[in-house]
Amino acid sequence: MPKDGEIKSGIGASSKRREDVRFLTGNGNYTDDINIRGQAYVFFLRSDVAHGTLNSVDTSAASAMPGVVQIFTGADFEAVGGIPCGWEVTDKHGQPMQEPKHPVLAHGKVRHVGEPIAAVVADSLEQARDAAEAIEVDISELPAVINMKDAFKEGATKVHDDLTSNLCYDWGFVEENKGAVEEAFKNAHHVTTLELVNNRLVANPMEPRVAIGDYARSDEQHTLYTTSQNPHVIRLLMGAFVLGIPEHKLRVVAPDVGGGFGTKIFHYQEEAFCTFAAKACNRPVKWTSSRSEAFMSDAHGRDHVTTIQLALDKDNNFTALRTDTLANMGAYLSTFASSVPTWLHGTLMAGNYKTPLIYVNVKAMFTNTVPVDAYRGAGRPEATYQIERVIDMAARELGADPVALRRQNYVTEFPYATPVAVEYDTGDYHATMDKLEEIADFTGFEARRKESEAKGKWRGLGINNYIEACGIAPSNLVGQLGARAGLYDAATVRVNATGSISVMVGAHSHGQGHETAFPQVVADMIGIDESQIDIVHGDTSKIPFGMGTYGSRSLAVCGSAMVRATEKIIAKAKKIAAHLLEASDTDIELKDGMFSVAGTDKSVAWGDVTLAAYVPHNYPLEEIEPGLEETAFYDPSNFTYPAGAYACEVEVDPDTGKVTIERFAAADDFGNVINPMIVSGQVHGGIAQGVGQALLEGCSYDEESGQLLTGSYMDYAMPRADDLPFYSVDHSCQTPCTHNPLGVKGCGEAGAIGSPPSVVNAVIDALNSGGKKVAHIDMPLTPDRVWNAINNA
Amino acid sequence: MYNFEFEKPSSIADAVAALGGDEAQALGGGQTLIPTLKQRLASPTTLVSLSNIPEMQGICTGDDGALCIGGATTHGAVASGAGAYPGLAALAGHIGDPAVRNRGTIGGSLANNDPSACYPAAALASGATLVTNTREIASDDYFVGMFETALEEGEIVTEVRFPIPQASHYEKFVQPASRFALVGVMVAKFADGVRVAITGASEEGVFRWAEAETALSVNFSPDALDGLTLDADNMIGDLHGSKEYRAHLCGVIAKRAVAKAA
Ligand SMILES: Cc1cc2nc3c(=O)[nH]c(=O)nc-3n(C[C@H](O)[C@H](O)[C@H](O)COP(=O)(O)OP(=O)(O)OC[C@H]3O[C@@H](n4cnc5c(N)ncnc54)[C@H](O)[C@@H]3O)c2cc1C
């Protein structure tokens, strides 16, 4: 395999991210940069109580305030659909999940701090805010349901009066295995039990959400500019389910987007509101979220409480695994909320191991908190964290080496059908662990531990494996599992007359570097320079119907569509070349942008062929159409399974409980790699978020009042550069995906999935090496929590 | 924010006159006040900027050897210009980030008296004198409680005079999110004794730790603090640290401050 940097262009080259030129020089075009003549501004009056009956919203005084165009309340949206959920989960009794209506503006009740109650449209934002202060809202407060265990109790206050309880669903997976799993636990030689919390997170993309609705009376055309990872999904959900706008009358544009991390997948009320209000007011309506609003209106992530048990036989083989999870849905079901703790989580509970029997129970709860949905990794970090923590704990209890215990239980033969309904196509977990041992320098650890000791610090080494399912997803399979959409993607390759190429893709780039990596693939296939190719994304009026970017799917799914479309282009171009060269198209070879007749010196350049396609003077018009443009839709036949091994080394200051990360190593298997530099960057960012979750970030609510305690950066700790070490990342272990044309697996979420367990494992190791018998600390491992654990040990 | 009038006087006298107006408020670097206004948590009719008053800018040495810092001097200017008092310069250099340090002012910080702010610890540990437009206030009389000071309505901090200790250090254990002090300890060793001030920890704001001062005045070394504890009852307990944790940290951080004092 070539080393990073050896390949200079095309697949495998670390081409510089071309989009960074505009991002780094302030020339990006973000949604907030868009201003439409005559636009009005909306300010949302949001609930400051967590739970209450909305008795009245009196807008009469406010409506008379200067600059006010119109004020909307929940009553204005009664005839309009609710914000839909995109995935129907069936519970263990075969019943559909409970699915409350999610109104655009609160109606009858408010259910979380930050829920919009009224929307003021005015000439200026400040006028809208002034008027919002004059709105009289009468709310009778109700007890807030915050803690999931309380929410589950008999007689608990109900978040939704029209539902039978706060339970969205009680999901058992695989229900048929339950008896066998119980039996295996009875026969176990050793059982390790761990209760843990996967802490609630706020995604905090650098760019807050923005939406602008525009409406042209002349042709009844709606346009929504929005900070979205998937404009077609928004068009479908909002057009079909909320506002009833036919798709040909609705254009959704997601221009440059400053980070998404999952939280910009979902269809939000503000988008529907701006689209609706633009027509109602006959003016463009713009909303720009403040950071404070983002904390209480962007979907949050994670928030699971789990008890996991691992059964082992006398030889330390894993014999069974079972879990009980409470998963927080928040007050309403966000777009993919229901799928995260179930199909994106339960199906990964085998991890990298051949545990034969697994049973997962998930109870999804409604609470008076912001809706919770997918956040970088979505379900897979929760699965990985449980598995890799419980294995570490078992190793400690049994006095086993944590690496050896893992290795002994690895899946080694592929394809491998797990007991949780997925089939790993390929992988080599020993190879990534071997690589990790090398780059993390396991052998030097004891010496480093001694050095730390000499400074009065406790040093720990934590390792873990991870596996994820990416490239979501085979549409027919997810359809059976409750998805209300297909999950293919699409690309159109438009070759221009002089040979340059525009590729219109359904994937959306908001930090991933598609504008650089995608052209590398097409350039490689044709043999022309990357600079001849641009991608176009983020505008439903320009691109084919693709499903957008999340779940590390862009290259595996949309990239595959692009390959298929490019193959069609090449096949047609060969026919044209054959005509020009007076040969048979089966004899035409394409190399380095030249078509030649095999075994001869006759050739014609790419640009001459493309020109012939658009200036078809000498052209086989009776056989093929002029022009050179092809579209392909690609629906994957399986998920992809990136996997890897991570190691973290920490120092703990026993006097303060402060943890510092001294070393971090990641050995990933992403299959084939298109741009190694971009892949490393994705892993770096993912680790930063994983370390953030492990040490710093924790969204917290007051359990009595339901107030958000971490509503700003004063209290919500984001990881910063000096919280992180230099990473050692490697992706030279490559077992290419067997079922997509590029052999790629996806790398966007790995860092966030793979890093939290190794950080926590390292801290526990450090405390134990300091003589403190601490079994577990819940994330985030703040100095306060670590010090408490030390003190109570 | 709400609309307000804006004045930018060039003398203390004009500033004081402008602040006499109805609901007028002083604006230092705006690093606390502007976010407050943006959230509509304050509604002054007039903001009187103190940033254009030469008398309130800069650093000099007084006749008694004290370091005199104009009330509108930025943290950045103190970090780079208070070399005569290294402990103070280092403290200023670790407030917030460069943007905050280039705007935030010493007068604004001391007037605000945030219970987690850094400067109050320096002023109190140094036995500084706060000079206002009407009087001089000893730091021991100035800090009244959380966000409370001895300042009267319309009174502004025009200068702060810091006696320069023989050795000093400010040790800050940061709150992970805000990076203000979860516990910050300033120790200052003078010829006639040691002063120790702690910020971030107490519900009453910055305070002096008398027992530690006595012990360190006898023996200026970390060991002198062995066995000394603070009562957890009056400590701040929140998401970032329990009362007990803060009480414990006071001792640990104070020792580190002594160890690093130079
Ligand atoms: C991101 C961030 C990080 C920060 N980190 C830290 C930190 O680590 N440590 C720390 O100590 N602080 C920190 N701060 C606070 C910062 O130091 C502020 O600058 C300071 O608290 C207020 O000073 P100011 O000049 O900006 O005052 P302003 O915000 O302008 O005013 C604050 C208050 O003081 C009044 N005022 C201003 N000047 C005077 C004066 N001369 N006389 C009387 N009243 C006056 C104003 O009327 C107002 O009530 C941080 C702030 C931010 C935004």
mmCIF file of all heavy atoms in Angstrom, chain A residues 728-746:
data_model
loop_
_atom_site.group_PDB
_atom_site.id
_atom_site.type_symbol
_atom_site.label_atom_id
_atom_site.label_comp_id
_atom_site.label_asym_id
_atom_site.label_seq_id
_atom_site.Cartn_x
_atom_site.Cartn_y
_atom_site.Cartn_z
ATOM 1 N N SER A 728 -2.170 10.395 17.218
ATOM 2 C CA SER A 728 -1.503 9.545 16.253
ATOM 3 C C SER A 728 -2.609 8.740 15.580
ATOM 4 O O SER A 728 -3.227 7.890 16.212
ATOM 5 C CB SER A 728 -0.531 8.649 17.022
ATOM 6 O OG SER A 728 -0.003 7.701 16.186
ATOM 7 N N VAL A 729 -2.904 9.046 14.342
ATOM 8 C CA VAL A 729 -3.982 8.322 13.659
ATOM 9 C C VAL A 729 -3.422 7.563 12.464
ATOM 10 O O VAL A 729 -2.491 8.015 11.807
ATOM 11 C CB VAL A 729 -5.137 9.242 13.204
ATOM 12 C CG1 VAL A 729 -5.673 10.045 14.363
ATOM 13 C CG2 VAL A 729 -4.712 10.157 12.075
ATOM 14 N N ASP A 730 -4.005 6.421 12.233
ATOM 15 C CA ASP A 730 -3.526 5.555 11.165
ATOM 16 C C ASP A 730 -4.720 4.886 10.500
ATOM 17 O O ASP A 730 -5.639 4.450 11.184
ATOM 18 C CB ASP A 730 -2.597 4.476 11.765
ATOM 19 C CG ASP A 730 -2.046 3.559 10.697
ATOM 20 O OD1 ASP A 730 -2.801 2.662 10.239
ATOM 21 O OD2 ASP A 730 -0.893 3.744 10.308
ATOM 22 N N HIS A 731 -4.707 4.848 9.182
ATOM 23 C CA HIS A 731 -5.766 4.101 8.499
ATOM 24 C C HIS A 731 -5.180 3.223 7.409
ATOM 25 O O HIS A 731 -5.716 3.109 6.314
ATOM 26 C CB HIS A 731 -6.849 5.036 7.969
ATOM 27 C CG HIS A 731 -6.346 6.376 7.548
ATOM 28 N ND1 HIS A 731 -5.670 6.574 6.402
ATOM 29 C CD2 HIS A 731 -6.401 7.571 8.165
ATOM 30 C CE1 HIS A 731 -5.313 7.844 6.302
ATOM 31 N NE2 HIS A 731 -5.731 8.478 7.359
ATOM 32 N N SER A 732 -4.041 2.621 7.759
ATOM 33 C CA SER A 732 -3.397 1.753 6.771
ATOM 34 C C SER A 732 -3.960 0.334 6.780
ATOM 35 O O SER A 732 -3.740 -0.422 5.834
ATOM 36 C CB SER A 732 -1.880 1.712 7.005
ATOM 37 O OG SER A 732 -1.617 1.142 8.266
ATOM 38 N N CYS A 733 -4.680 -0.046 7.833
ATOM 39 C CA CYS A 733 -5.348 -1.355 7.798
ATOM 40 C C CYS A 733 -6.593 -1.177 6.946
ATOM 41 O O CYS A 733 -7.490 -0.432 7.320
ATOM 42 C CB CYS A 733 -5.775 -1.804 9.194
ATOM 43 S SG CYS A 733 -4.407 -1.947 10.330
ATOM 44 N N GLN A 734 -6.614 -1.829 5.811
ATOM 45 C CA GLN A 734 -7.740 -1.603 4.902
ATOM 46 C C GLN A 734 -8.304 -2.918 4.413
ATOM 47 O O GLN A 734 -7.663 -3.627 3.640
ATOM 48 C CB GLN A 734 -7.301 -0.731 3.720
ATOM 49 C CG GLN A 734 -6.783 0.626 4.174
ATOM 50 C CD GLN A 734 -6.404 1.547 3.018
ATOM 51 O OE1 GLN A 734 -6.385 1.145 1.854
ATOM 52 N NE2 GLN A 734 -6.115 2.789 3.337
ATOM 53 N N THR A 735 -9.505 -3.236 4.869
ATOM 54 C CA THR A 735 -10.228 -4.353 4.274
ATOM 55 C C THR A 735 -11.375 -3.718 3.495
ATOM 56 O O THR A 735 -12.354 -3.283 4.084
ATOM 57 C CB THR A 735 -10.767 -5.321 5.340
ATOM 58 O OG1 THR A 735 -11.644 -4.617 6.218
ATOM 59 C CG2 THR A 735 -9.633 -5.938 6.155
ATOM 60 N N PRO A 736 -11.225 -3.607 2.187
ATOM 61 C CA PRO A 736 -12.230 -2.858 1.421
ATOM 62 C C PRO A 736 -13.634 -3.441 1.567
ATOM 63 O O PRO A 736 -13.801 -4.665 1.625
ATOM 64 C CB PRO A 736 -11.737 -2.983 -0.023
ATOM 65 C CG PRO A 736 -10.283 -3.295 0.080
ATOM 66 C CD PRO A 736 -10.134 -4.100 1.346
ATOM 67 N N CYS A 737 -14.600 -2.564 1.631
ATOM 68 C CA CYS A 737 -16.003 -2.969 1.633
ATOM 69 C C CYS A 737 -16.238 -3.838 0.406
ATOM 70 O O CYS A 737 -15.760 -3.533 -0.687
ATOM 71 C CB CYS A 737 -16.886 -1.719 1.583
ATOM 72 S SG CYS A 737 -18.607 -2.079 1.230
ATOM 73 N N THR A 738 -16.959 -4.932 0.602
ATOM 74 C CA THR A 738 -17.103 -5.894 -0.506
ATOM 75 C C THR A 738 -18.260 -5.585 -1.438
ATOM 76 O O THR A 738 -18.399 -6.218 -2.468
ATOM 77 C CB THR A 738 -17.343 -7.310 0.061
ATOM 78 O OG1 THR A 738 -18.523 -7.259 0.878
ATOM 79 C CG2 THR A 738 -16.155 -7.786 0.885
ATOM 80 N N HIS A 739 -19.104 -4.637 -1.064
ATOM 81 C CA HIS A 739 -20.325 -4.506 -1.869
ATOM 82 C C HIS A 739 -20.555 -3.138 -2.476
ATOM 83 O O HIS A 739 -21.584 -2.905 -3.069
ATOM 84 C CB HIS A 739 -21.542 -4.936 -1.029
ATOM 85 C CG HIS A 739 -21.674 -4.185 0.260
ATOM 86 N ND1 HIS A 739 -22.214 -2.932 0.321
ATOM 87 C CD2 HIS A 739 -21.298 -4.501 1.515
ATOM 88 C CE1 HIS A 739 -22.182 -2.511 1.577
ATOM 89 N NE2 HIS A 739 -21.626 -3.446 2.327
ATOM 90 N N ASN A 740 -19.640 -2.186 -2.295
ATOM 91 C CA ASN A 740 -19.811 -0.955 -3.066
ATOM 92 C C ASN A 740 -18.622 -0.759 -3.997
ATOM 93 O O ASN A 740 -17.536 -1.291 -3.750
ATOM 94 C CB ASN A 740 -20.101 0.263 -2.177
ATOM 95 C CG ASN A 740 -18.935 0.673 -1.285
ATOM 96 O OD1 ASN A 740 -17.785 0.636 -1.708
ATOM 97 N ND2 ASN A 740 -19.246 1.069 -0.066
ATOM 98 N N PRO A 741 -18.845 -0.032 -5.091
ATOM 99 C CA PRO A 741 -17.822 -0.028 -6.155
ATOM 100 C C PRO A 741 -16.496 0.594 -5.723
ATOM 101 O O PRO A 741 -15.472 0.268 -6.288
ATOM 102 C CB PRO A 741 -18.472 0.785 -7.283
ATOM 103 C CG PRO A 741 -19.661 1.457 -6.696
ATOM 104 C CD PRO A 741 -20.075 0.665 -5.501
ATOM 105 N N LEU A 742 -16.487 1.465 -4.725
ATOM 106 C CA LEU A 742 -15.227 2.080 -4.313
ATOM 107 C C LEU A 742 -14.532 1.300 -3.194
ATOM 108 O O LEU A 742 -13.395 1.607 -2.840
ATOM 109 C CB LEU A 742 -15.475 3.517 -3.841
ATOM 110 C CG LEU A 742 -15.809 4.540 -4.943
ATOM 111 C CD1 LEU A 742 -16.326 5.826 -4.330
ATOM 112 C CD2 LEU A 742 -14.582 4.802 -5.803
ATOM 113 N N GLY A 743 -15.235 0.351 -2.589
ATOM 114 C CA GLY A 743 -14.645 -0.385 -1.468
ATOM 115 C C GLY A 743 -14.439 0.493 -0.249
ATOM 116 O O GLY A 743 -13.585 0.229 0.592
ATOM 117 N N VAL A 744 -15.249 1.552 -0.139
ATOM 118 C CA VAL A 744 -15.086 2.493 0.976
ATOM 119 C C VAL A 744 -16.127 2.205 2.061
ATOM 120 O O VAL A 744 -17.185 1.660 1.782
ATOM 121 C CB VAL A 744 -15.232 3.958 0.507
ATOM 122 C CG1 VAL A 744 -14.119 4.317 -0.460
ATOM 123 C CG2 VAL A 744 -16.603 4.211 -0.114
ATOM 124 N N LYS A 745 -15.794 2.605 3.296
ATOM 125 C CA LYS A 745 -16.693 2.299 4.410
ATOM 126 C C LYS A 745 -17.273 3.537 5.091
ATOM 127 O O LYS A 745 -18.341 3.457 5.694
ATOM 128 C CB LYS A 745 -15.945 1.470 5.444
ATOM 129 C CG LYS A 745 -15.493 0.095 4.943
ATOM 130 C CD LYS A 745 -14.831 -0.678 6.065
ATOM 131 C CE LYS A 745 -14.429 -2.082 5.629
ATOM 132 N NZ LYS A 745 -13.755 -2.813 6.709
ATOM 133 N N GLY A 746 -16.553 4.645 5.074
ATOM 134 C CA GLY A 746 -17.046 5.837 5.778
ATOM 135 C C GLY A 746 -16.207 6.110 7.013
ATOM 136 O O GLY A 746 -15.803 5.200 7.732
#
